[in-house]
Amino acid sequence: MLADPKARALTDNFAGQWLFLRNLTNMNPDFETLPDFDDNLRQAMRRETELFFESVIREDRSALDLMTAKYTFVNERLAKHYGIPNVYGSQFRRIVWSDENRWGLLGQGSVSTVTSYPNRTSAVLRGKWILENVLGTPPPAPPPNVPALKENGDGKQLSLRQLMEQHRANPSCATCHRIMDPLGLALENFDAIGEWRTKEAAGPIDASGQLADGTKVNGVGDLRKALLQHPQQFVGTVTEKMLTYALGRGLEYYDMPVVRGIVRDAAKSDYRFSAVILGIVKSSPFQMRKAQMAEGQAAAVLR
């Protein structure tokens, strides 16, 4: 089933929707701030994530490999962006990372870019992306009339961390930001197009923080480990997203026991993708949808 060419639709449609890859088309980083960005890089970023996701599916790897895999796919343009030497040509090839900061989805330029603004990173967008797409716990909508971040204070260049600290001084903003900001700030070594950095205009990058459960992190490596302390949560999010895609509708409360059952069964095989997909295909909501589609097709023939 996973080897069938039709499985490519999971990459083109599902991954494009789940990981916000479609948003790359509309991302236009500021040239003065980020002069390295061009359309070739945009396309290479998207193709990297597509090939990576497809490889995890086709090789029937654990769903956890989406977060922990030590390899990726690059061509010359993307390799140059990542600082990888001796990669030439437009063809993509598989490489193994020696830098654990780049492992899995969190280290890929596509994710950094779609969770940033044109001229800077965003702890809020990145934290929200993790809450929605990794932890499956989207934050509530922001309160009305929330003031925008002030880009500097008293003529002094402020870091993103300092700007967020000022923003959290507003009590109506503080609750959600205490959850989102540490997640996003842990990725602050990646600039707005995913290039690694150790300092910004305001000074050295500080990627440290404390997550909502009290776990202290300092950078993407610590964040990845913290997010996978409870692997069933990430696999549950993947399962929810895939079941939503398969059903063509949002999930309801009565679908959640099905999701938990699929995750529980997939744990027996280290959460291999085949187990997750098979669980979805055999689930009662999916079987009911197939029956409804068959009935609809039969009715259309009889009319």
Side-chain angles (χ1 to χ4, degrees):
M1 180 170 61
L2 295 179
D4 191 303
K6 293 180 181 178
R8 178 64 191 272
L10 277 176
T11 301
D12 294 340
N13 300 321
F14 170 69
Q17 177 179 312
W18 171 38
L19 302 174
F20 298 178
L21 295 182
R22 295 172 178 174
N23 294 2
L24 273 173
T25 303
N26 300 319
M27 300 301 294
N28 292 297
D30 178 63
F31 180 76
E32 291 187 6
T33 308
L34 302 160
D36 188 48
F37 191 86
D38 57 26
D39 196 55
N40 286 333
L41 181 59
R42 182 203 315 274
Q43 294 180 35
M45 285 178 174
R46 175 165 184 161
R47 190 61 183 143
E48 174 195 18
T49 304
E50 289 175 342
L51 288 170
F52 175 72
F53 180 84
E54 188 173 337
S55 74
V56 175
I57 293 273
R58 286 189 177 277
E59 296 167 21
D60 195 17
R61 290 174 168 267
S62 169
L64 300 177
D65 277 22
L66 291 171
M67 295 291 289
T68 63
K70 302 177 183 179
Y71 69 90
T72 194
F73 297 84
V74 298
N75 63 358
E76 182 177 355
R77 181 67 185 89
L78 191 58
K80 179 182 177 183
H81 183 65
Y82 288 155
I84 303 172
N86 304 319
V87 175
Y88 304 104
S90 60
Q91 295 297 314
F92 280 79
R93 75 284 326 257
R94 185 169 178 153
I95 60 103
V96 176
W97 285 116
S98 57
D99 179 7
E100 70 171 289
N101 293 311
R102 288 290 184 183
W103 292 356
L105 290 170
L106 295 183
Q108 296 186 5
S110 61
V111 173
S112 293
T113 304
V114 299
T115 56
S116 295
Y117 290 117
N119 62 338
R120 65 168 174 84
T121 58
S122 171
V124 173
L125 293 180
R126 290 179 175 180
K128 184 174 182 286
W129 188 92
I130 290 172
L131 287 174
E132 290 181 343
N133 297 316
V134 177
L135 298 176
T137 55
N145 303 318
V146 176
L149 285 180
K150 296 180 180 180
E151 294 297 328
N152 54 64
D154 301 325
K156 180 182 178 181
Q157 185 77 35
L158 300 179
S159 68
L160 179 63
R161 177 179 292 274
Q162 291 169 324
L163 291 172
M164 296 310 303
E165 287 173 352
Q166 290 185 354
H167 192 66
R168 285 197 300 272
N170 184 336
S172 64
C173 302
T175 302
C176 288
H177 280 283
R178 287 195 189 100
I179 300 172
M180 289 190 293
D181 292 359
L183 295 168
L185 289 170
L187 301 175
E188 191 61 8
N189 284 112
F190 297 119
D191 73 6
I193 54 173
E195 194 168 9
W196 184 261
R197 60 184 182 165
T198 57
K199 60 182 179 180
E200 58 179 334
I205 295 293
D206 181 2
S208 64
Q210 183 170 304
L211 304 185
D213 65 356
T215 302
K216 293 183 179 181
V217 298
N218 189 1
V220 61
D222 286 350
L223 176 63
R224 187 186 300 109
K225 293 173 185 175
L227 293 175
L228 294 180
Q229 284 182 345
H230 304 286
Q232 71 278 1
Q233 186 167 7
F234 174 64
V235 180
T237 301
V238 175
T239 303
E240 286 183 37
K241 301 290 185 180
M242 292 190 75
L243 185 57
T244 298
Y245 171 77
L247 298 178
R249 63 167 175 82
L251 300 190
E252 303 292 344
Y253 68 92
Y254 46 77
D255 295 310
M256 300 320 294
V258 174
V259 172
R260 291 192 292 270
I262 293 171
V263 174
R264 204 163 42 241
D265 290 341
K268 300 171 186 175
S269 62
D270 191 29
Y271 302 111
R272 290 194 178 278
F273 250 103
S274 59
V276 175
I277 293 175
L278 184 61
I280 290 173
V281 170
K282 294 171 65 176
S283 70
S284 54
F286 186 78
Q287 292 296 321
M288 289 175 61
R289 180 177 184 272
K290 283 181 62 179
Q292 291 168 353
M293 290 177 63
E295 289 176 3
Q297 291 171 350
V301 171
L302 293 174
R303 281 201 296 268

